[in-house]
Amino acid sequence: MINRSKDFLRKRVEEDLKLGRYKKIVTRFPPEPNGFPHIGHAKSISINFGIAKEYGGECNLRMDDTNPTTENIEFVEALKDAVEWLGFKWSGDVRYTSDYFLKLYNYAIKLIKMGKAYVDSLSEEEIREYRGTVTSAGKRSIYAKRGIEENLELFARMRSGEFREGEHVLRAKIDMSSANMKMRDPLLYRIKRADHFRAKDKWAIYPMYDFAHPLSDYIEGVTHSICTLEFENNRDIYDWLIDTLELKPPRPYQHEFARLNINYTIMSKRKILELIDKNIVSSWDDPRLPTIAGLRRRGYTPEAILNFCEQIGVAKANSIVDIAQLEFAIRDDLNPKVPRVMSVFKPLKVTIENYSGFEDIEASYYPHDVPKEGSRVLPFSKEIYIEQDDFMENPPKDYYRLTPNQPVRLKYAYIISCQEVIKDDNGNIVEIKAKYYPNSKSGSDSSGIRVKSAIQWVEANSAKKIEIRLYDRLFKKETPESIEDINPNSLEIIKNALIEPAVIQDRVNDRFQFERHGYFYRDPVDYSDKRPIFNRVVSLKDSWAKKIKKDNRRDRNKPKKEHIEGKVAPMSREEENLFQIYTKKHNLNKEVANTLARDIELSKFYQEALKEFNSPITIGNITTNEVARELKIKKIDEVKFTPKYIADLAKMIDSETISTKIAKQVFEEMNKSGREPTKIVEERGLKQINDKSLILAIIRDVISKNEDNVKKFRDGNKKLLGFFIGEVLKASNGKANPKIVNSLIIEELNRAL
Ligand code: ATP
Ligand code: MG
């Protein structure tokens, strides 16, 4: 577990325990079974079950089934399934609000007898009118004058089904001029003539959320009723009910936290149902959906989802989480765990003419930075397939893979060189005739041949055909408003990709890294050995680069160079095409895409770098800032760096090996000396410091040297936070990871002295 300060909910729970308000913590997760749960529910599950677990308490799973027309058993099962899959156990049996219908009814009778509830016979519209507005008081219904006996009789007849829907409702008698609109005689019961999936036709009336929820909490002995912020105003009703009914303590209290929102997706069962009904997605478990079933089918792990929930934390203010953060969580979870294997998505046949026979090459499953035991056998013969992109007949400079003049290594195997390019009648390359170097085998290479890269391949006769499903964001807009905002390319299917045979034979692993392509998962529904189908869980690219984006945002205040309305030349067709690709496919911001699209040389440079390391945003930023600046004063063959160098630089930024600030420094040096950026970083010791304890030590040192300022800070001069952060960064020669500094410094400042 990451070490962060306790959130407000946990602080409250600890205080309640300390003061002896409760002997045992009881929370509950109370979904309405009207759809499949989504990642927002996962947050609520992780909070409710997590708190119960941490403080030796219990968490109930309660189906909040008070609306017979939208709920059913399929959804109950999906909810149970999600909780279990995330690794939690509810206390006792699953509970249902419908099991409390009689108890709730009796509480309603009690309220009527106390003169605190009445049967109202206004129409829905009149009720709304009478409620008043935020600025004007409401008016109480004439029916509020009904006597207790009449109310009891009418309520009993409502129950037994003598009235039509909407004819009467039961309302609490509270305050029609309350500043909190919710307190203006809220509805407690309504007539609904529909069969309930559990209670069947037993009831003609159903309790409202505001009535059923607090009382169900009380009935179950819940201590902390944790819900999302939109229920803040309902808390007054919650308290009013429990107080008015004079329920025996201990009683539950409601606490609200911010619901989870994620960009480029929607988070509501109702809206998801709409996508299913309109056939935009296939079902509740469509891997593009943020449902737990969808994420699970796509290949997400419970660990990744729980880590994500922990990382986003619990707050009191609503915000939107970047979907990149969810993707980060799954990459982070899978990276060390899953085997790496070779696949070819767009096959190009290679015949190695001087090779005969077959051999089995043993290759590690885990060629990671921290290797693990485990390997598989790669069959090898004269016929193999490589990725079409890994051969170019007329390559630009800095293309490091196979060309007619440049040999390349087949990963784990031999070096080959191209002897002949075979084309069809239309001039498309259909096959490469190649030769291999017998003494160049990986691990025992004595050939002395130098290659610039190793590419993936599969042996032609043993490779298996697989279907690949590539998923992208479901919506093209960050905050989707309607179905119009759907991303039409959210699913791309590659029918005839090839995979090495070990993957199909593997009975242990379901998830793999297909090298250079991403993380993949056997589709748990459609997969069969005859028709193997893999879902892309997530691409390999670290969609880091947010920090860089932020830097750019800061630059917005500066006067813009181009983009002066009416003065900018229109783009040519090609430039416009490029611009579309850069903004839509690469997700570059408009200014970066614009600069690149209008400058062929810069564009080429950017694309070359991308081939080395697929991180468009980071590379796009370096190219349009640093590289562009140099190319204004020098020709492309005069600069001392290559696209590969920029790719290496980006790689170090994305992996947080160096900060963006240091990256600029490295760039300047590389620009002057032409030395490899990795070497510069290595030799000059510029690696970012990510080690928390090291950073903590620097922070403490800075604090001890600035006691006066610490006092001022603690006396309320919060502006000094910037000073302290600056000092820490300075003390680390700019190498401390600023994110970590930020996350640690406040607590240290408050603890100090
Ligand atoms: P939806 O609008 O998706 O139907 P809901 O709020 O109606 O969601 P419920 O089934 O009533 O869903 O919610 C069960 C619990 O999950 C509630 O306590 C609710 O506050 C919580 N919850 C629902 N959505 C989110 C979210 N996006 N983030 C955090 N908690 C959520
Ligand atoms: Mg709902």
Side-chain angles (χ1 to χ4, degrees), residues 29-32 38 40-41 44 226 228 257 259-260 267-269:
F29 171 59
E32 184 184 356
H38 47 64
H41 293 101
S44 178
I226 299 165
T228 35
F257 69 95
R259 68 190 287 121
L260 169 64
M267 202 80 83
S268 146
K269 287 176 280 186

Side-chain angles (χ1 to χ4, degrees), residues 246-292:
E246 294 169 350
L247 299 175
K248 212 172 91 213
R251 56 155 287 191
Y253 283 90
Q254 177 182 307
H255 310 276
E256 309 90 21
F257 69 95
R259 68 190 287 121
L260 169 64
N261 297 300
I262 299 183
N263 59 9
Y264 298 104
T265 191
I266 45 164
M267 202 80 83
S268 146
K269 287 176 280 186
R270 188 178 48 78
K271 288 186 188 159
I272 294 171
L273 185 59
E274 192 185 336
L275 296 180
I276 297 169
D277 285 345
K278 295 200 164 135
N279 272 326
I280 290 167
V281 297
S282 60
S283 54
W284 287 99
D285 69 352
D286 189 297
R288 290 166 291 179
L289 286 176
T291 51
I292 298 183

Side-chain angles (χ1 to χ4, degrees), residues 196-335:
H196 186 279
F197 74 100
R198 304 188 83 237
K200 306 294 176 222
D201 59 355
K202 210 165 153 206
W203 294 86
I205 52 172
Y206 290 91
M208 305 298 288
Y209 171 88
D210 280 326
F211 182 69
H213 203 83
L215 295 172
S216 301
D217 282 346
Y218 178 78
I219 291 168
E220 291 179 7
V222 165
T223 58
H224 296 78
S225 180
I226 299 165
C227 64
T228 35
L229 276 176
E230 66 272 23
F231 294 102
E232 207 167 0
N233 288 333
N234 304 59
R235 191 190 332 125
D236 286 341
I237 307 180
Y238 194 105
D239 291 336
W240 180 89
L241 264 176
I242 291 188
D243 291 343
T244 305
L245 284 165
E246 294 169 350
L247 299 175
K248 212 172 91 213
R251 56 155 287 191
Y253 283 90
Q254 177 182 307
H255 310 276
E256 309 90 21
F257 69 95
R259 68 190 287 121
L260 169 64
N261 297 300
I262 299 183
N263 59 9
Y264 298 104
T265 191
I266 45 164
M267 202 80 83
S268 146
K269 287 176 280 186
R270 188 178 48 78
K271 288 186 188 159
I272 294 171
L273 185 59
E274 192 185 336
L275 296 180
I276 297 169
D277 285 345
K278 295 200 164 135
N279 272 326
I280 290 167
V281 297
S282 60
S283 54
W284 287 99
D285 69 352
D286 189 297
R288 290 166 291 179
L289 286 176
T291 51
I292 298 183
L295 291 166
R296 179 176 175 182
R297 177 163 177 190
R298 178 146 165 186
Y300 271 71
T301 57
E303 293 84 0
I305 291 175
L306 292 176
N307 284 342
F308 168 74
C309 290
E310 182 148 343
Q311 274 151 17
I312 56 175
V314 186
K316 266 262 179 212
N318 280 319
S319 66
I320 298 180
V321 172
D322 194 336
I323 194 158
Q325 215 175 327
L326 181 62
E327 293 171 352
F328 172 84
I330 184 66
R331 249 186 236 116
D332 197 43
D333 186 47
L334 296 183
N335 180 41

Side-chain angles (χ1 to χ4, degrees), residues 180-194:
N180 180 355
M181 299 283 290
K182 299 254 177 193
M183 291 292 273
R184 297 186 181 176
D185 290 11
L187 271 57
L188 306 181
Y189 269 92
R190 61 187 162 164
I191 298 171
K192 259 208 177 226
R193 309 305 306 270

